[in-house]
Amino acid sequence: MSSVSIKTTMIFILIGAAAGCAVPAEKDAPEETAVESQAIECSKECILAMVNRQLSLMGEFGNEEEFTRALRELVAIGPAAVPVVAEVYKAWSVSFPPDKAESARPGEMRWRAAHLLGLLGSRDGIKPLNEIATTKLPDPEADEQLFADEYRVRLRAIAGLEALGAAEELKAIYSAGDLLRNPAAASLYALGIDVGGIQLIDARKALAEDVADVKDYNPNNGRPAQPEKPGSRVFKVAPRTDTPVITR
């Protein structure tokens, strides 16, 4: 499937029946409304429209309800959605140079597709996610933007492998010893596998004990930074207390 056909499909997403994809009907289940209880039958074109719709929603703010509803419908389709998302990922991977008419760079769309592979919750997603995570990174000296995009995509793939419990794949990535070694170690730790070099810190305690270095100068007014009293910081958002930290 070419990137052109996939992008063209996105144009028709806003037309409800363009891909022959309507809200699935329930099967003789009285008073059942949950998507998980529905037997969804959807053609590949229908799934593609749903996938592109989901990727589009990932770029919107303040539309969490619609995002969640659309994701539940995709999850209800089951493993059949995985290869379609993988194809979309590959289509965006070859759509270079970026099309200025698109609302997002190809790297951003690859990130969204990799994210969706993990969100689907199907273990069929392990293989494409592992392929993404283990694909060689581009040379940062040749194109810093491309390298940054691709590294971000690899991190998302590792997060997806963690979400799917792909311990063996994560172990292999860790053993490879490249830039993804530490992220893989953190994901393994989250799965209960300690490969060493990771400890948990109490973020509240660490921040409360942090004091300003009086040798540092404030670049705004030039006067010495004022020392803070431990515990004087105001937490607008309570940080997690189980943050894994690499100690190497």
Side-chain angles (χ1 to χ4, degrees):
M1 177 180 298
S2 67
S3 60
V4 175
S5 62
I6 289 176
K7 293 178 183 178
T8 301
T9 304
M10 296 180 70
I11 299 175
F12 295 100
I13 294 175
L14 299 179
I15 305 176
C21 183
V23 177
E26 298 174 343
K27 279 192 173 182
D28 301 325
E31 303 302 324
E32 273 298 328
T33 58
V35 174
E36 291 82 355
S37 67
Q38 300 173 354
I40 292 183
E41 296 181 1
C42 196
S43 67
K44 185 175 181 179
E45 290 73 19
C46 169
I47 298 175
L48 177 58
M50 294 173 69
V51 167
N52 282 329
R53 172 61 175 158
Q54 192 70 45
L55 297 180
S56 177
L57 288 169
M58 285 182 175
E60 297 181 7
F61 294 97
N63 203 3
E64 290 80 7
E65 183 176 347
E66 175 62 17
F67 175 88
T68 301
R69 183 200 62 76
L71 178 60
R72 291 178 64 207
E73 290 185 354
L74 262 179
V75 170
I77 289 176
V82 172
V84 177
V85 178
E87 286 185 12
V88 171
Y89 174 88
K90 292 178 181 178
W92 281 106
S93 294
V94 299
S95 59
F96 189 86
D99 185 348
K100 293 183 179 180
E102 297 293 345
S103 60
R105 299 193 317 275
E108 168 65 21
M109 298 307 296
R110 288 196 293 276
W111 184 91
R112 295 184 194 182
H115 193 4
L116 184 53
L117 283 171
L119 290 176
L120 290 176
S122 171
R123 288 189 62 82
D124 284 18
I126 291 178
K127 182 178 178 180
L129 281 170
N130 189 52
E131 291 176 352
I132 294 171
T134 56
T135 299
K136 184 178 179 180
L137 285 165
D139 183 359
E141 294 184 359
D143 190 330
E144 291 185 4
Q145 180 66 69
L146 179 61
F147 174 82
D149 282 345
E150 292 307 304
Y151 184 68
R152 182 168 172 255
V153 170
R154 303 300 186 279
L155 292 179
R156 174 45 59 189
I158 287 179
L161 290 172
E162 176 190 324
L164 298 179
E168 294 305 314
E169 286 76 10
L170 289 169
K171 287 179 181 178
I173 294 171
Y174 172 80
S175 298
D178 58 12
L179 290 174
L180 299 176
R181 178 183 177 89
N182 287 346
S187 286
L188 285 168
Y189 193 93
L191 294 177
I193 303 172
D194 188 355
V195 292
I198 295 180
Q199 66 177 3
L200 293 179
I201 64 169
D202 188 325
R204 293 184 179 88
K205 181 179 179 181
L207 289 174
E209 293 179 349
D210 183 28
V211 295
D213 186 347
V214 294
K215 296 180 180 179
D216 290 338
Y217 287 85
N218 189 325
N220 294 320
N221 56 26
R223 69 184 179 85
Q226 302 300 303
E228 296 181 3
K229 296 180 181 180
S232 64
R233 298 187 178 225
V234 178
F235 293 93
K236 295 182 178 180
V237 179
R240 291 179 55 182
T241 60
D242 59 346
T243 306
V245 175
I246 307 298
T247 60
R248 289 186 181 80

